[in-house]
Amino acid sequence: MATPIHNPSCQNCKDRFSSIFCKADQCNLDLLSEAKVCSVYKKGQVIFHEGAYPFGVYCINDGKIKLSHSGDDGREQIVRLVKAGDIMGYKALLSNERYTATATALEDSSICFVPKDLFLNILQKDASLSFEMMRILSSELRKAELKITHLAQKPVRERLAETLLFIKETYGLEADGHTLSVRLSREEIANLVGTATESAIRLLSEFKKDGMIELEGKKIRLLDMPEIIRTANLQE
């Protein structure tokens, strides 16, 4: 069960200007700030389950979350990584359908919950917020289409390199400027790449042998960025 915490002010939130709510009118921001409920979720704790009905949206105040879908064979497939400033649960809420993924904390995370009726009422009244919502949905659709294309056409070695760059872009690096600022299991990395865990382990070992990365438990250090980018074979 999540641990409730004192609600941080939306106006003074450190992630306000990287969140969808940066576009909200001041009066609506005040309403959100008063109505939201904020809680801390421990590492490995589920925020919401696939198949459940949404009662609001979740805004990440601090922490890292994975959204994963359960396949027909029961295997987990990570569909999205979420960081501070992002929101979750909005697609199911807007379509009035069940969640298509389970949200799980990758580390201890502070998350604010905004009730469904309030969010939808503000979205209807606030043109700037509605436009930002459409922008986010369009961006998610483009990323999904690109991922489908890469899964169909790119070799798994290229996809692994691209995944490492994606994780870096999402969560950044630690103070040393090399270590990815998140700890993912080999299975989670394989899920992101879209391959078997054994293949991900083998390729990570090859990347290490080639001097592109360094491995220490779940820590991954990116040592040769130009070579990783070249291996990813990214197209403009």
Side-chain angles (χ1 to χ4, degrees), residues 12-48:
N12 301 317
C13 177
K14 64 183 179 65
D15 298 302
R16 180 190 168 194
F17 294 104
S18 61
S19 166
I20 180 179
F21 298 116
C22 70
K23 301 295 184 180
D25 292 338
Q26 182 59 52
C27 60
N28 292 328
L29 204 61
D30 292 339
L31 289 173
L32 289 166
S33 195
E34 291 173 9
K36 73 181 187 300
V37 177
C38 299
S39 304
V40 170
Y41 292 82
K42 297 295 184 181
K43 179 181 178 180
Q45 193 169 359
V46 172
I47 296 96
F48 57 78

Side-chain angles (χ1 to χ4, degrees), residues 46 48-55 68-70 92 97-103:
V46 172
F48 57 78
H49 287 274
E50 179 180 355
Y53 282 106
F55 294 98
S68 58
H69 170 71
S70 181
E97 297 176 346
R98 297 173 187 261
Y99 291 123
T100 57
T102 295

Side-chain angles (χ1 to χ4, degrees), residues 72-91:
D72 293 337
D73 58 358
R75 289 181 56 191
E76 177 189 68
Q77 177 64 53
I78 297 176
V79 295
R80 186 179 166 211
L81 293 177
V82 185
K83 64 183 185 303
D86 289 345
I87 62 171
M88 306 184 298
Y90 54 90
K91 284 180 282 190

